[in-house]
Amino acid sequence: MESRTRKRSSLNNNEDRISTLPNVLLHRILSFVDAVQVVQTCVLSKRWMNVWKSHPYLDFNFETFSSLINSDYYEDEMVNFTDFVNQVLVRRNNFKAIKISLDLCGHTRYSLVESLIYYAVKHHAEEICIDTACRDVPIVLPRCFFNCESLRSLKLRIDGGIALPKSLGLPSLKTLHLGGAQNFDGKIFSSCPNLENLKIEDICLNTIENFNIHALNLKSLEILNWRYSRIKTGCKVMLFAPRLTSFKFDGNTPLFWSEVNLTSLDDVNVVLQRYYYRHDYQFYVDEDEYISGEDDTKQGFCLDLLKMLHQFCSAKSLTLSMNIIEVLSKVPAALNKHPSPFSNLKYLKLKTDHKDVTLPAHVLNYFLSSSSLLKVCF
């Protein structure tokens, strides 16, 4: 009876138990919210006045910030946001920063991105995430960034481009996400010896003939939004990643490999965006591979697609968008002439938004011919 009374008394006491937690736990809780909301906690009580100053997870989100500012002009909001970011960085003193993130969908100032990267390196950040646009000039990484030993995860997704150096020299980097990079040959990846996860998105390679990915410890690779209009005709990907187990591709044109060995690959996901047959499209098909009586344009596109898929012959799980099945179904003679190499394939997964979808018999037989126990999933 007495214990129940104590429990009720404790519940009715309106005790602030969260404030009694150590800073390390408070920081973990606050890591799920934006920097603006973290700073706002300083008005809660004396206990919270300085918690935000030592908070090591700095997530600067322009959308969250602008929702609190009553301004009809983007430029005014941008000035206020930049000032807020600078004030937070100045008032933190010398506390360590684990993660620094900038999410700004509109145009940002080059100086803001540069100052954030400089601050992150100086305070030994382990993760940097920049997602913004800078259309005046490509972002150039400050010199202090190179050879940063603390950085383990880096995301640079910048609409307008990033001017990348020949070498990054990031010995601890495990995860890299590049978006908007322009005309680099990929050799920077070899300067990150511990790289395990790589995502490349919206890159422009209209002057590059050979794109190199040399990463001895790479396990996961994603190449997204690979577009015909942004890739030089004849550009080939030279991949050396002996430990690669997962690959994802998303684009409107097939990707062409050169000097590739993907024997360790288990899981492959390929999405073909909305495509069309161009009369000026340069195919990578030998004359003796063509089949008489078939449309040369459709046949060339299909054979290029098959060449790309055949590089994944060691995969155990293959996920394809339905328009890939559509392309393959239009040239049945090509499937007969170029048999399926997927001897290890156990699962064929088809991406579709429709319930009533059937897999053409000759396409199904193509995959079953090399893997009789194949399971097809929609």
Side-chain angles (χ1 to χ4, degrees):
M1 186 69 177
E2 185 178 350
S3 62
R4 290 182 182 177
T5 304
R6 287 179 180 175
K7 288 181 180 179
R8 289 175 185 171
S9 175
S10 176
L11 291 173
N12 295 328
N13 201 21
N14 293 324
E15 183 181 354
D16 181 9
R17 296 186 178 182
I18 294 181
S19 295
T20 62
L21 295 175
N23 277 5
V24 64
L25 290 181
L26 294 180
H27 291 158
R28 184 57 183 165
I29 295 171
L30 293 175
S31 68
F32 296 99
V33 298
D34 178 83
V36 173
Q37 297 163 323
V38 173
V39 174
Q40 287 176 329
T41 62
C42 68
V43 301
L44 295 177
S45 67
K46 290 183 178 180
R47 168 71 176 92
W48 289 86
M49 283 183 63
N50 295 309
V51 171
W52 68 272
K53 293 182 180 180
S54 59
H55 185 54
Y57 304 93
L58 305 178
D59 183 6
F60 298 106
N61 187 292
F62 180 74
E63 185 176 348
T64 303
F65 180 85
S66 61
S67 66
L68 304 174
I69 303 297
N70 296 321
S71 175
D72 297 328
Y73 301 100
Y74 173 80
E75 285 300 324
D76 291 342
E77 292 182 346
M78 189 66 231
V79 169
N80 290 328
F81 179 71
T82 303
D83 183 62
F84 168 73
V85 173
N86 290 330
Q87 287 297 320
V88 170
L89 298 183
V90 168
R91 294 173 184 270
R92 287 191 76 253
N93 298 323
N94 291 317
F95 288 107
K96 176 181 171 62
I98 294 177
K99 176 183 178 181
I100 292 184
S101 174
L102 173 67
D103 191 343
L104 202 165
C105 58
H107 175 72
T108 188
R109 297 177 180 177
Y110 170 83
S111 59
L112 177 60
V113 176
E114 185 181 41
S115 62
L116 275 175
I117 293 177
Y118 177 82
Y119 185 91
V121 173
K122 184 179 178 181
H123 291 78
H124 310 291
E126 297 176 11
E127 183 175 355
I128 298 176
C129 180
I130 307 290
D131 193 343
T132 186
C134 189
R135 300 185 181 93
D136 295 337
V137 291
I139 293 292
V140 178
L141 298 173
R143 288 186 177 182
C144 67
F145 176 79
F146 308 118
N147 300 312
C148 176
E149 296 184 357
S150 63
L151 197 60
R152 297 172 61 86
S153 178
L154 173 64
K155 176 182 179 181
L156 292 175
R157 188 173 181 272
I158 300 176
D159 183 9
I162 314 166
L164 291 171
K166 293 183 179 180
S167 175
L168 285 176
L170 301 173
S172 302
L173 192 70
K174 290 183 176 292
T175 300
L176 176 61
H177 180 177
L178 285 179
Q182 299 179 354
N183 292 318
F184 69 111
D185 59 13
K187 292 181 180 179
I188 60 170
F189 303 129
S190 62
S191 65
C192 305
N194 292 302
L195 187 64
E196 295 181 357
N197 306 289
L198 175 61
K199 179 186 289 189
I200 308 168
E201 184 177 8
D202 292 312
I203 61 174
C204 179
L205 301 177
N206 52 23
T207 66
I208 302 298
E209 294 184 356
N210 294 305
F211 185 67
N212 300 272
I213 302 177
H214 189 286
L216 295 176
N217 291 303
L218 192 65
K219 298 177 181 178
S220 173
L221 172 62
E222 296 183 40
I223 300 179
L224 307 180
N225 209 18
W226 183 267
R227 303 191 65 80
Y228 180 83
S229 60
R230 306 185 70 182
I231 307 299
K232 182 177 180 178
T233 301
C235 176
K236 294 185 178 182
V237 176
M238 305 176 69
L239 174 65
F240 183 73
R243 298 186 179 182
L244 189 70
T245 58
S246 176
F247 176 76
K248 182 176 182 180
F249 175 83
D250 182 305
N252 69 351
T253 185
L255 181 150
F256 302 104
W257 301 102
S258 175
E259 300 180 18
V260 63
N261 186 352
L262 302 174
T263 56
S264 62
L265 203 57
D266 288 332
D267 184 64
V268 176
N269 188 320
V270 182
V271 173
L272 182 64
Q273 297 174 0
R274 194 173 186 177
Y275 66 95
Y276 54 94
Y277 302 116
R278 299 173 55 111
H279 294 293
D280 62 342
Y281 185 94
Q282 181 177 341
F283 299 112
Y284 297 83
V285 182
D286 297 330
E287 289 186 9
D288 60 352
E289 293 185 72
Y290 280 100
I291 301 168
S292 60
E294 300 281 0
D295 180 274
D296 286 351
T297 306
K298 291 182 180 179
Q299 188 178 173
F301 191 90
C302 176
L303 291 174
D304 281 347
L305 186 60
L306 275 177
K307 278 190 172 184
M308 173 184 170
L309 295 177
H310 281 195
Q311 294 292 345
F312 311 133
C313 58
S314 298
K316 297 177 182 177
S317 175
L318 180 63
T319 301
L320 302 176
S321 59
M322 279 305 297
N323 47 5
I324 292 180
I325 303 300
E326 178 186 345
V327 172
L328 298 179
S329 67
K330 290 180 177 179
V331 194
L335 299 183
N336 293 330
K337 188 171 182 179
H338 302 277
S340 169
F342 299 98
S343 58
N344 295 328
L345 195 62
K346 296 181 178 179
Y347 300 97
L348 176 62
K349 304 175 184 178
L350 303 179
K351 278 189 173 182
T352 177
D353 296 328
H354 305 285
K355 294 182 179 179
D356 300 326
V357 175
T358 57
L359 185 62
H362 62 285
V363 177
L364 177 60
N365 291 333
Y366 168 76
F367 287 103
L368 287 174
S369 64
S370 59
S371 180
S372 58
L373 299 178
L374 181 67
K375 293 183 180 179
V376 181
C377 311
F378 290 90

